[in-house]
Amino acid sequence: MAKQQKSYKVRFLGSKQGLLFLLFAALIWVISAFSEKYTAVVPVHVEIENDATDLILLEKQLHVDASMSASGFSILYRRLFPRKLVLFTDELPALNLDKPLLSTQYLANSYRQQFPSRNDLNGFVDNTILLPLTAAIVKSFTPALAAPPALAEGYQLTSPIQFNLNQVTASVGKENLKRLDTAIFKLLSDDIIKEDFVLKAVLLDSIAALARWNTNEIEVRGTVDRYSDVSFMLPITITNAPNTMDIELTSTSVALKFAAPLSSLKTINAQDFRAEVVYEQTTTGQFPVVISGLPDNAKQIVITPPTVSYLISE
C-alpha cells in the first residue's frame, strides 16, 4: 500500500497538475517573502535646479545611495525606478564653492518634505555629497557668425552685417572660461539671398553648453545689392616731395578696378578718385600707390601697379 502511495506521488509531481502545484506554491512563497520588511540600500536620483545667477551647474543629476526599510516589493521597485529628489540652488545652505559639500541630513529632510507620506527612509549612506557646482564668472562677448549668409551669385553685402545686440553675456565656470573666447552663432536659414535681410541666429550647441547665456538667439541684419565691376585709369600725383628734388616716376598712371553696387554706378565718376604716392625715404626704391575717394561699399579693389619706382635728381 505504501509503495502504491509513493508511486502515486511521483506520478502526480511529474504530471501537469503537479507542476502547476509546485509553481503556485513557489509563487505563494515569493509573495510571502517579499511582503516582509527589509532594510537595504537603494539609489535616489538627486536633480538640481539652478536658479541662482552666481552659480554654474556642472551636472544636473546625481545618484546617491540611501538606506530604506520597506517590503521586498518596494525595495525591488525603488531599485528599478529610483525616486527623484529635486533641490533648488537658492534654497541650499551656505557652501564652500571651492569644495561644495552638502550634508546628507539636508537631503533626508528634503526627502521627507517632498514625500511626506513615506516613512521608509532611514538615512543616506554617506554623511556628505559633493555637489557639481562652481562659482560663476560673468563675461561679455561680441557675437560672430559661424558662416556668412548665402548670397546669390553677383550679390554682395553693401555694408557690414549688424546684430541687434552688440554684446552677449555668459555666466561661466572657471574651467570652461579657458575654452570660451567667442560667442559664435549659426543662421537658422540657409536660403539664397538677393535682397536686404533680417535673419535669426542661434548659439552653436558646443558654445551654448559651456555657460549660461543671457540669450541663445540674436537677430542678424544686412543690406544686399548686385555688384558690377568698375574700371578707371588715374594719373599719379606726388605729395610731400621737397622743392629741391626733381622726382620722376617710372609709371605716371595706374589702373583702378573695383566692384560696386548697381544702385550707385550712376554716381561714380573718375573725378571722384585720386591716385597718389607720398614721398618718404625708402629702402626699396618704390612708393606704394594710395587711392582716395573710394566708396565705403566698394569691394574687390585692385590697383595696377600697386607700387611705382622713382628716380631722383637734385
Side-chain angles (χ1 to χ4, degrees):
M1 183 72 178
K3 197 170 184 179
Q4 288 180 347
Q5 288 179 344
K6 185 175 180 181
S7 175
Y8 172 76
K9 287 180 180 179
V10 170
R11 287 198 305 272
F12 174 75
L13 292 175
S15 68
K16 182 185 291 185
Q17 292 84 354
L19 291 175
L20 289 174
F21 173 79
L22 290 175
L23 287 174
F24 183 74
L27 179 62
I28 295 298
W29 180 85
V30 169
I31 292 174
S32 175
F34 272 74
S35 297
E36 294 184 14
K37 194 171 185 178
Y38 297 91
T39 297
V41 173
V42 298
V44 174
H45 289 184
V46 178
E47 186 172 296
I48 304 173
E49 295 290 342
N50 185 15
D51 42 14
T53 57
D54 58 343
L55 294 175
I56 293 295
L57 185 60
L58 304 177
E59 291 181 36
K60 192 173 177 64
Q61 286 192 343
L62 294 174
H63 302 293
V64 184
D65 288 334
S67 172
M68 289 191 178
S69 295
S71 69
F73 287 111
S74 294
I75 287 175
L76 178 61
Y77 183 80
R78 287 303 161 208
R79 283 182 172 174
L80 295 175
F81 307 101
R83 284 194 183 279
K84 183 175 74 173
L85 177 62
V86 181
L87 301 180
F88 295 91
T89 53
D90 65 347
E91 297 176 358
L92 295 175
L95 298 170
N96 176 8
L97 293 179
D98 291 332
K99 192 176 183 181
L101 292 173
L102 179 68
S103 169
T104 50
Q105 184 58 49
Y106 179 90
L107 288 185
N109 295 338
S110 299
Y111 182 95
R112 294 184 179 106
Q113 287 176 5
Q114 291 184 34
F115 308 105
S117 63
R118 307 295 302 182
N119 58 358
D120 51 1
L121 179 69
N122 299 321
F124 288 88
V125 173
D126 297 321
N127 293 327
T128 59
I129 59 170
L130 183 64
L131 297 180
L133 295 172
T134 187
I137 300 171
V138 179
K139 187 175 179 181
S140 295
F141 297 88
T142 301
L145 289 179
L151 302 181
E153 186 176 355
Y155 286 80
Q156 297 192 45
L157 293 167
T158 60
S159 60
I161 285 178
Q162 294 183 333
F163 302 102
N164 66 321
L165 297 174
N166 294 326
Q167 298 280 315
V168 291
T169 303
S171 297
V172 59
K174 194 178 296 183
E175 288 303 313
N176 283 346
L177 184 61
K178 299 174 184 177
R179 302 161 53 193
L180 190 60
D181 54 11
T182 311
I184 303 176
F185 289 79
K186 178 183 178 181
L187 291 170
L188 291 177
S189 172
D190 55 2
D191 294 341
I192 302 299
I193 295 173
K194 293 183 177 181
E195 57 188 15
D196 298 350
F197 59 86
V198 179
L199 301 173
K200 298 290 185 183
V202 295
L203 271 172
L204 292 180
D205 291 342
S206 58
I207 299 295
L210 293 176
R212 292 177 63 190
W213 297 85
N214 66 328
T215 182
N216 282 0
E217 184 178 290
I218 60 173
E219 198 172 74
V220 182
R221 297 174 178 269
T223 54
V224 174
D225 199 350
R226 193 178 186 90
Y227 270 63
S228 179
D229 289 339
V230 180
S231 298
F232 294 109
M233 290 297 297
L234 303 175
I236 303 174
T237 59
I238 304 175
T239 60
N240 201 38
N243 295 330
T244 58
M245 289 185 181
D246 183 13
I247 301 176
E248 182 180 350
L249 301 178
T250 57
S251 178
T252 58
S253 63
V254 292
L256 171 64
K257 183 179 178 181
F258 61 93
L262 287 178
S263 58
S264 64
L265 288 183
K266 292 181 180 179
T267 63
I268 297 175
N269 298 297
Q271 293 78 10
D272 298 332
F273 306 104
R274 179 182 174 88
E276 61 183 11
V277 294
V278 180
Y279 172 78
E280 58 185 354
Q281 296 289 340
T282 68
T283 58
T284 61
Q286 292 185 323
F287 294 139
V289 179
V290 178
I291 303 294
S292 58
L294 282 167
D296 293 337
N297 52 18
K299 308 279 187 179
Q300 301 165 0
I301 301 166
V302 178
I303 303 169
T304 308
T307 61
V308 292
S309 301
Y310 62 90
L311 299 172
I312 297 177
S313 58
E314 297 186 10

